[in-house]
Amino acid sequence: MTTRAHRALAVAAGGLLTVGLLAAGVLPVPVVVLSVPFLVVAWRRPVLRRLAFRNAARRPRETALVLLGALLGTAIITGSAIVGDTLGASIRRGAFTHLGPIDEVVRAADGQDPAALLAAVRGVRSPDIDGVLPITSVGATVAAPGPTPAAAPRAEPHATLLEVDFAAARRFGGDGGATGISGPTPAPDHAAIETDLARTLDVRPGSTVEVYAYGATRSVTVDRVLPRLGVAGRRPGAGTTAPNLFLSPGTLAAMAAAAPAGAAPPTYLVAVSNRGGVIDGAARTTPVVKALDAAVAAARLRAQVEPEKRNLLDAADAQGRDFTRLFASIGMFSALAGILLLVAIFVMLAEERKTELGMLRAVGLTRRGLIGTFSLEGWVYALGSSALGTIAGIGIGRVIVFVTSRIISRGGPFALDMHFSASLPSIQLGFVVGFVMSLATVVATSLSIARLNVIRSIRDLPEPPRARQRVAWTAVSALFVAMGTLMAVRGLAAKSPAPVLIGPAIAGLGASVVLRRVMARRWATTIAAASVLVWTSISPNLAPDAFHNPDISLFVVNGVIYTIAAVGLVSQHQQLIGRVLRRAGGGARNLSLRLGLAHPLERGFRTSTILTTFALVMFTLVAMTLFSGIFSAQIDGFTKDVSGGFALRAFSNGSNPASADAVRAVDGVSAVSTMLTAGAQFAEPAKPGSFEFWGLAGIDDSFVDLGPPALDRWLPKFSSAGDAWRAVRSDPSLIVVDDFFLQHQGGPPRGHVVPGQVVTMRDPATGAVHQLTVAAVAKVGFIGAPAYTSSRLVTDVFGARAAPDLLLVATKPGVDPQRLAETLNARFLPNGMDAVAFRTSVSEALAQQQSFLHLMQGYLALGLVVGVAGLGVVMVRSVRERRREVGVLRSLGFDAGQVRRAFLVESAFVALEGILLGALLAVVSTWRIVGSGAFGDGLRFAVPWGPVIVVVVLAFLATLVATVAPAQQASRIRPAVALRITD
């Protein structure tokens, strides 16, 4: 068989394999499309193919280092997408565990006849509805005896009591296995218990539990344990667990008949199941909601239709995207470091093969052929690194998910069980983005390399500096100046921070080129870079409105601009820095120092690339360390802000709220303020039709007089924070929120609500809406607080559903608030008391935040791996590139130790310069962000020197470890062999 036949067979086999992978959905289509030109070159130009593949295969160790540096960008993007997949899938799992067949619920208002509502819903004739199920529920405390008679009872203060017909529940939705319901309906004084509640109380079938509700106690026998699934796992609020107890129908009505004043009545709702599966049924939500709304309106009933499953799925998708964006944005620093590493490697490859490339051009290889050779080799690296990076990204995503699950699964109302999920689209996205980044980098570098001069390349002469820039390039740079300036002006007008930062950076880049026509390159770059640094530093003060509510993307933009401008400034003065170091290190006597500094000072572009890599990574690592230290030092200030004149807050069950007088009589309590709470729905100002549940609390005179939480800002018509609180207490049209209002996903506050804005509040039972003006923004969102309004408004809107179940407690001098909280929890167990000191709440919130920051530090450490790997590759290449130079030095009398020290000095100089530069920029940037009030007023900037020094030292030691082997290799070069080497 001829060579041509072999090639045809290979191409046919490759084509069939490609088609098969595409058909299976494994290989991303964009990768195949972008690879076609390179495959054509490899097929039609065998000389270029041999040159490219030979260079990639003849040095496997160095090729492996190149792939390591290049694959991390793909791994970071893939890992970020998988984290988003996991979070979204974990939330979507609630569609099975907490809803099952339930797609919509119709919630009855106070006084509404349940029978009339059920009849109206059952009367809806819609092909999209598969069944209806009435459910009655109320919050209560459930307890079981302790392991010994003397031990305290086990209790769950946040349990839910439910009544449902079990036979109807199993038929509901057409799939009894999705409901979690089994067995007959509990008989009087018997119950079925959900597995989470059974685990908390350590009970099993046959055990007896005590139910506390409506001022009464009732003992019931547990018949069976139900799984957290569907109707059995229904959770009315946020959280992962569903501590449900199913009672005999009529039990709640009997208990509520003797309810004390202030107790919230049971909630009556009708669950609706759409045709289709648990997930597919949500697609029919829109027509079903319209039909239910029409039925409720026609019957003139007071009820509200809530598309619970669609809301849950939408929240899952939104929060998954938020987490993907968060990790991808932070990981962008490491991805940029990987791109810079590729650039540095290809520039070194070109310099190492300079003579070879010149000879190839001299014997007829065209510039296009040279581009094809380098691009084809880069395509091999891009394809290999993307494949390996995708596999590594799956592992990184699993590690992040594991650590994240330990952070957010610690209990509490917003806990979430993480279930690892890696979708094929996310894996393909990581592959495609990593491949495109790597491919674009190598092609752009190849275009630059192809401009070499043949004669200078053959003689291995350096490129002379250009005396003057071309007129066309100057005109393009002037256009950059105009575009950047216009972008900054528009950003200031629109109060958008990103254009305010990016515009001057673009203008500075153009100005550095324009200024070269009238001054030296060094001074033109110095002026432009320094101007960008100054503007980036002072812009938050000049435009505070634009920078008041930054997000993570702005942190990335700020860090990249800071780093590039600072590296540009330092790179123009490296010779001065080198002279200072040589003089400080002993001058001409220290030959190792002079030799070690000579090469990085001579190779300015290469040094700047590695310097930027380290500076980017260290900027983020040190910034996270600074934020961690700053927030951990604010516990006293945060506690003072959120507590006001109180020491602890105590929640109790709405069906059996604790009496303020009874709490006031406890030893150690000096004062108590009672707050009426209700679960309201609010629409963000930017999304007037999108309602979300958020807590609402009505305040009274005692709350204002004893000391409310601190306010961040308030309407100008109020002369003080006290005036604002007094106005809210008496005016039902006002409300106080915090910067985290309607932000369930956490993270830095977006601060989308400001004093004077109008928010829409809706009663979830009746659908009645009320327009409320934001009077002030409070500093309480850090621990998760409700919105505050007048008690009169809460009573008027929510009636009996507004329960006095939140108490703020002030303590006497010398009393430990947390110990008092534990005393209250034990004494008021039947009321479901859940008291906690404000300082404890703040400490727990800070601990969770610290854990997340530590996770981000570990994630960012991948960028340090890029930097260390990049420096290792550079040093390995440098040893190979300079082996003749080392041979000459050894023949002139340099010993092995001097050569080894020289190479260590070279790597240490570049790494330490980048590390210190990144650390300094992080300190300046963090100082500016904290000072601008982006994370709230009152934060005090302080550098935690210990952790910062540890990060810097560890990074520096890692670089030394990575360069020991190349330095040792250089010291072992034998002069006679080195001077005879031709390759």
Side-chain angles (χ1 to χ4, degrees):
M1 187 178 292
T2 64
T3 302
R4 183 180 296 274
H6 276 107
R7 286 198 297 171
L9 183 61
V11 170
L16 290 174
L17 178 61
T18 301
V19 171
L21 291 173
L22 281 172
V26 176
L27 191 63
V29 175
V31 172
V32 177
V33 174
L34 292 174
S35 297
V36 168
F38 299 94
L39 294 173
V40 171
V41 171
W43 166 257
R44 298 178 61 88
R45 303 293 297 275
V47 174
L48 301 185
R49 182 182 69 245
R50 284 195 293 270
L51 287 173
F53 293 172
R54 181 195 65 176
N55 289 325
R58 65 178 178 173
R59 293 166 183 164
R61 185 177 64 175
E62 296 172 30
T63 299
L65 290 175
V66 174
L67 292 176
L68 173 62
L71 68 83
L72 284 174
T74 304
I76 288 167
I77 296 169
T78 305
S80 301
I82 287 175
V83 172
D85 280 349
T86 298
L87 183 68
S90 300
I91 299 175
R92 291 172 71 91
R93 187 180 177 86
F96 295 89
T97 58
H98 298 316
L99 292 176
I102 302 175
D103 290 289
E104 299 85 23
V105 296
V106 185
R107 187 175 284 104
D110 298 340
Q112 177 61 61
D113 180 15
L117 179 61
L118 179 60
V121 174
R122 283 178 171 169
V124 176
R125 296 292 180 261
S126 171
D128 297 311
I129 295 179
D130 194 32
V132 299
L133 179 69
I135 301 174
T136 306
S137 66
V138 71
T141 300
V142 180
T148 63
R154 298 185 178 94
E156 172 53 71
H158 303 292
T160 302
L161 308 180
L162 297 102
E163 293 180 358
V164 64
D165 185 290
F166 274 39
R170 284 194 300 275
R171 296 191 302 269
F172 179 61
D175 182 4
T179 65
I181 299 296
S182 62
T185 303
D189 296 327
H190 285 258
I193 190 170
E194 188 269 340
T195 184
D196 294 317
L197 183 57
R199 188 181 300 113
T200 299
L201 303 181
D202 191 20
V203 299
R204 55 192 54 84
S207 300
T208 300
V209 297
E210 302 290 332
V211 178
Y212 302 97
Y214 297 113
T217 304
R218 179 166 295 199
S219 297
V220 297
T221 301
V222 175
D223 290 339
R224 57 193 172 277
V225 178
L226 304 177
R228 187 204 304 163
L229 183 67
V231 178
R234 176 169 172 75
R235 173 81 178 181
T240 297
T241 61
N244 296 332
L245 189 72
F246 290 84
L247 301 173
S248 172
T251 303
L252 295 182
M255 297 179 72
T267 299
Y268 180 83
L269 57 87
V270 179
V272 178
S273 176
N274 299 345
R275 294 192 181 278
V278 172
I279 299 297
D280 298 339
R284 303 174 183 266
T285 296
T286 299
V288 170
V289 169
K290 288 182 179 179
L292 292 173
D293 281 335
V296 170
R300 298 184 178 181
L301 301 176
R302 299 173 64 246
Q304 180 68 17
V305 180
E306 188 70 27
E308 285 193 353
K309 187 171 292 178
R310 187 174 65 184
N311 291 344
L312 183 145
L313 297 178
D314 290 346
D317 294 339
Q319 294 192 33
R321 289 192 299 268
D322 287 342
F323 257 62
T324 298
R325 184 167 57 249
L326 171 65
F327 280 91
S329 298
I330 290 294
M332 188 55 63
F333 288 96
S334 299
L336 289 174
I339 292 174
L340 291 172
L341 173 58
L342 276 179
V343 173
I345 289 171
F346 269 78
V347 170
M348 291 189 70
L349 288 175
E351 292 177 352
E352 180 184 338
R353 305 172 191 169
K354 192 173 183 179
T355 302
E356 173 189 341
L357 296 176
M359 293 295 296
L360 289 173
R361 290 279 284 117
V363 298
L365 184 66
T366 64
R367 180 170 293 174
R368 183 178 300 176
L370 189 61
I371 295 173
T373 300
F374 263 90
S375 298
L376 194 57
E377 182 178 352
W379 173 75
V380 173
Y381 291 143
L383 196 61
S385 64
S386 298
L388 294 174
T390 301
I391 297 173
I394 296 174
I396 291 172
R398 182 172 285 278
V399 171
I400 295 174
V401 168
F402 174 76
V403 178
T404 304
S405 66
R406 302 291 296 272
I407 296 174
I408 65 177
S409 299
R410 295 177 176 175
F414 297 104
L416 178 66
D417 287 338
M418 299 285 280
H419 299 273
F420 181 79
S421 175
S423 66
L424 182 60
S426 293
I427 295 174
Q428 291 180 329
L429 173 67
F431 193 108
V432 170
V433 174
F435 179 76
V436 170
M437 287 195 309
S438 299
L439 195 62
T441 300
V442 298
V443 170
T445 308
S446 301
L447 292 173
S448 176
I449 291 171
R451 299 173 60 186
L452 58 83
N453 181 276
V454 176
I455 303 301
R456 283 194 292 269
S457 299
I458 294 175
R459 295 181 177 180
D460 197 18
L461 298 175
E463 294 290 330
R466 294 181 180 178
R468 183 177 292 274
Q469 295 289 336
R470 295 178 180 177
V471 174
W473 182 237
T474 303
V476 171
S477 300
L479 181 62
F480 271 41
V481 175
M483 290 173 55
T485 303
L486 180 61
M487 181 184 294
V489 172
R490 289 189 173 181
L492 288 171
K495 297 181 181 180
S496 179
V500 175
L501 291 178
I502 298 175
I506 295 176
L509 177 63
S512 66
V513 178
V514 174
L515 291 175
R516 292 176 198 171
R517 299 190 65 86
V518 295
M519 63 178 66
R521 176 193 183 102
R522 181 175 64 176
W523 294 111
T525 305
T526 298
I527 293 173
S531 300
V532 172
L533 284 173
V534 171
W535 172 258
T536 306
S537 299
I538 66 174
S539 54
N541 289 94
L542 297 180
D545 292 339
F547 289 87
H548 184 70
N549 304 311
D551 57 16
I552 190 65
S553 62
L554 187 64
F555 175 73
V556 176
V557 170
N558 181 77
V560 171
I561 292 175
Y562 254 132
T563 302
I564 294 177
V567 170
L569 181 63
V570 170
S571 298
Q572 298 304 312
H573 301 278
Q574 290 284 46
Q575 295 295 335
L576 175 61
I577 296 173
R579 285 197 296 271
V580 173
L581 292 177
R582 282 193 290 263
R583 184 173 300 176
R589 296 188 303 274
N590 194 337
L591 296 179
S592 296
L593 177 63
R594 294 181 65 85
L595 178 62
L597 293 178
H599 199 258
L601 295 180
E602 177 189 358
R603 306 288 186 178
F605 179 79
R606 183 190 307 176
T607 301
S608 298
T609 303
I610 301 300
L611 183 63
T612 306
T613 300
F614 273 94
L616 280 171
V617 174
M618 289 307 299
F619 175 87
T620 51
L621 279 174
V622 175
M624 289 298 166
T625 303
L626 290 170
F627 281 126
S628 178
I630 290 170
F631 280 106
S632 63
Q634 307 300 319
I635 183 170
D636 291 332
F638 286 154
T639 302
K640 182 179 179 181
D641 288 340
V642 302
S643 63
F646 302 94
L648 59 93
R649 59 179 178 177
F651 294 93
S652 55
N653 281 321
S655 64
N656 195 26
S659 166
D661 292 335
V663 173
R664 197 176 292 113
V666 175
D667 186 32
V669 175
S670 64
V672 177
S673 176
T674 303
M675 305 184 76
L676 291 174
T677 68
Q681 290 179 316
F682 291 90
E684 300 183 39
K687 303 176 182 178
S690 177
F691 287 91
E692 295 185 46
F693 277 96
W694 198 260
L696 182 67
I699 63 175
D700 58 9
D701 293 340
S702 62
F703 174 80
V704 177
D705 296 339
L706 291 172
L711 296 181
D712 185 14
R713 50 197 183 275
W714 51 84
L715 289 172
K717 67 179 181 179
F718 303 128
S719 59
S720 66
D723 288 344
W725 279 117
R726 283 187 286 271
V728 172
R729 175 191 59 191
S730 57
D731 188 347
S733 67
L734 299 178
I735 191 171
V736 173
V737 299
D738 59 78
D739 274 331
F740 290 85
F741 183 58
L742 300 183
Q743 296 183 39
H744 294 285
Q745 71 272 21
R750 295 193 299 269
H752 52 278
V753 177
V754 298
Q757 283 188 317
V758 176
V759 298
T760 304
M761 182 186 76
R762 184 173 72 179
D763 183 349
T766 66
V769 297
H770 300 266
Q771 304 297 322
L772 304 177
T773 301
V774 177
V777 177
K779 299 180 181 181
V780 294
F782 188 69
I783 61 170
Y788 301 98
T789 188
S790 167
S791 293
R792 180 155 54 96
L793 174 67
V794 177
T795 302
D796 292 343
V797 174
F798 298 94
R801 286 174 289 129
D805 54 2
L806 174 56
L807 304 178
L808 300 183
V809 181
T811 60
K812 294 179 180 179
V815 175
D816 184 343
Q818 187 56 34
R819 286 192 178 182
L820 178 60
E822 294 169 0
T823 300
L824 294 176
N825 290 338
R827 182 170 301 186
F828 296 94
L829 174 65
N831 305 99
M833 179 71 77
D834 185 8
V836 62
F838 281 108
R839 186 178 183 86
T840 301
S841 296
V842 171
S843 298
E844 292 174 351
L846 282 174
Q848 191 171 30
Q849 185 181 66
Q850 293 294 84
S851 298
F852 194 78
L853 288 174
H854 292 159
L855 169 65
M856 298 305 297
Q857 284 179 300
Y859 185 60
L860 291 168
L862 294 172
L864 185 60
V865 175
V866 176
V868 172
L871 190 58
V873 172
V874 168
M875 295 307 298
V876 169
R877 291 283 184 181
S878 183
V879 171
R880 184 178 297 278
E881 180 184 278
R882 296 155 58 191
R883 56 191 181 277
R884 292 187 181 218
E885 175 188 325
V886 173
V888 172
L889 292 174
R890 291 296 309 279
S891 66
L892 293 177
F894 270 70
D895 58 35
Q898 287 178 306
V899 173
R900 187 186 307 110
R901 287 194 296 273
F903 275 86
L904 288 175
V905 166
E906 178 179 338
S907 62
F909 168 71
V910 178
L912 189 59
E913 193 174 36
I915 289 171
L916 294 179
L917 184 61
L920 177 61
L921 292 174
V923 171
V924 174
S925 179
T926 306
W927 171 59
R928 296 303 310 139
I929 291 175
V930 172
S932 68
F935 291 94
D937 295 334
L939 281 182
R940 295 182 299 277
F941 176 79
V943 179
W945 291 108
V948 170
I949 291 174
V950 169
V951 171
V952 170
V953 171
L954 289 178
F956 182 63
L957 291 178
T959 61
L960 292 182
V961 171
T963 54
V964 165
Q968 186 68 19
Q969 180 185 359
S971 68
R972 292 176 178 175
I973 293 178
R974 291 180 292 175
V977 176
L979 294 176
R980 291 199 303 268
I981 289 177
T982 59
D983 182 83

